[in-house]
Amino acid sequence: MRSILITGCSSGIGYHAAHALKNEGWRVFATCRQEADAERLRAEGLESFRLDYEDPASIASGFDEALSRTGGTLDALFNNGAYAIPALVEDLPVAALRQNFEANLFGWHDLTQRAIKVMRKQGTNGQGHIVQCSSVMGFITTKFRGSYAATKHALEALSTAARLELRDTDIHISIIQPGPIATDFRLNSRKNFDRWIDWEKSDQAPRYRPVVDRLYATDKSPDPFELQCDAVTAKLRRALNSPHPKARYHVTKVTTFSALALRFLPGRASEWMMSKG
């Protein structure tokens, strides 16, 4: 039975992937930031325990817990779970940016390093799959998403470097680039916006009104390009089951269109497009 450690399983993409892979015969370690969520998942039949990207001790203990249950092996890691802090760059506190990187990059890097070291010992040249859940923001940037996009750009750079360095092994690193998916992403963004951004005191306060209206809308208009979490799980499944997985997997039409536009449009045209996002 192949084993996989998945982060961010309390809801959304991680939750769906954990249940789907368990039903397909994987041994799934579904981790969450909060112990209460891990307890809920255990009641649903998943092996779940705490792992919080912003808590290095929990990363170490969570990873060790997974290894203790498998006898020291791990076949796959799915890094998932990140949040945005919607703000103009000029209003983004350094402490907020630092925390966003801790949650969206540094914790992922810590866990990825641990997985690579274990996977190197498996088989002749090492073997395993590491899949990073990035974003369309991993290669484009829009207004009010500077912090989130910066973390995802950095994730893609680190992941690409690691993939190049592992070319002579059977350890594969793939990136999934979702785009709009039906999750609690907006709710989590709202929490961090409230914590860090005093928008009413900003010199650019009027520009925040549409952002605030979207964050707090009670009847969110459906996004015509939004897909359900199973669309991400389908790409994850393809990466995990391929002996030669792709470097990147687009999920939504938004991701595919944005990649094409960035490739073929002149710089000014592509920036105009991103300014409308």
Side-chain angles (χ1 to χ4, degrees):
M1 179 184 294
R2 290 190 293 172
S3 61
I4 183 170
L5 174 63
I6 305 177
T7 57
C9 293
S10 63
S11 63
I13 291 170
Y15 180 86
H16 185 277
H19 277 287
L21 293 182
K22 179 179 183 295
N23 291 339
E24 293 167 17
W26 283 78
R27 185 170 188 186
V28 176
F29 302 115
T31 67
C32 306
R33 298 183 68 181
Q34 303 295 331
E35 175 58 30
D37 290 320
E39 183 177 358
R40 170 170 55 85
L41 296 191
R42 289 195 292 270
E44 296 176 9
L46 290 169
E47 293 187 68
S48 183
F49 39 87
R50 182 174 177 269
L51 194 158
D52 181 354
Y53 283 131
E54 294 182 48
D55 180 358
S58 81
I59 294 173
S61 62
F63 189 76
D64 289 346
E65 178 64 26
L67 295 187
S68 72
R69 299 187 185 197
T70 64
T73 64
L74 185 69
D75 296 299
L77 167 66
F78 181 36
N79 272 314
N80 164 71
Y83 61 79
I85 305 175
L88 294 170
V89 170
E90 64 190 85
D91 294 327
L92 184 67
V94 172
L97 183 62
R98 185 175 289 119
Q99 180 180 303
N100 211 184
F101 266 83
E102 195 73 48
N104 293 8
L105 180 69
F106 300 149
W108 295 45
H109 177 60
D110 187 347
L111 197 54
T112 298
Q113 284 187 314
R114 293 172 187 274
I116 290 173
K117 290 175 182 178
V118 169
M119 291 173 179
R120 276 196 179 277
K121 300 176 183 178
Q122 299 171 173
T124 304
N125 295 315
Q127 55 187 6
H129 287 74
I130 297 172
V131 183
Q132 314 279 42
C133 191
S134 182
S135 167
V136 64
M137 292 290 162
F139 60 90
I140 69 167
T141 307
T142 60
K143 295 178 294 185
F144 292 93
R145 290 291 186 89
S147 178
Y148 182 72
T151 65
K152 290 302 185 181
H153 275 64
L155 172 68
E156 299 235 357
L158 269 179
S159 300
T160 297
R163 183 171 56 254
L164 296 175
E165 294 158 2
L166 293 167
R167 286 190 67 180
D168 295 331
T169 74
D170 287 325
I171 302 173
H172 306 286
I173 298 184
S174 299
I175 297 169
I176 294 179
Q177 298 168 324
I181 302 292
T183 67
D184 290 335
F185 189 82
R186 180 177 60 133
L187 178 60
N188 293 330
S189 297
R190 182 193 304 173
K191 294 175 183 176
N192 288 285
F193 178 78
D194 287 343
R195 176 180 179 185
W196 291 108
I197 309 302
D198 191 355
W199 68 274
E200 291 176 305
K201 293 183 179 179
S202 169
D203 292 337
Q204 300 294 318
R207 297 180 66 186
Y208 277 93
R209 176 49 62 186
V211 176
V212 172
D213 289 344
R214 284 197 301 272
L215 282 175
Y216 289 89
T218 56
D219 55 342
K220 180 189 173 188
S221 301
D223 187 328
F225 300 105
E226 186 176 83
L227 298 180
Q228 299 300 311
C229 293
D230 60 348
V232 181
T233 300
K235 300 295 185 179
L236 172 62
R237 187 183 295 113
R238 288 179 59 183
L240 294 174
N241 291 329
S242 172
H244 303 288
K246 294 167 58 176
R248 289 173 174 79
Y249 292 87
H250 295 171
V251 179
T252 64
K253 292 180 179 179
V254 170
T255 308
T256 300
F257 174 77
S258 297
L260 290 172
L262 201 61
R263 180 177 179 182
F264 293 110
L265 289 179
R268 285 183 178 273
S270 63
E271 287 211 351
W272 176 84
M273 179 193 74
M274 288 185 281
S275 74
K276 303 302 178 183

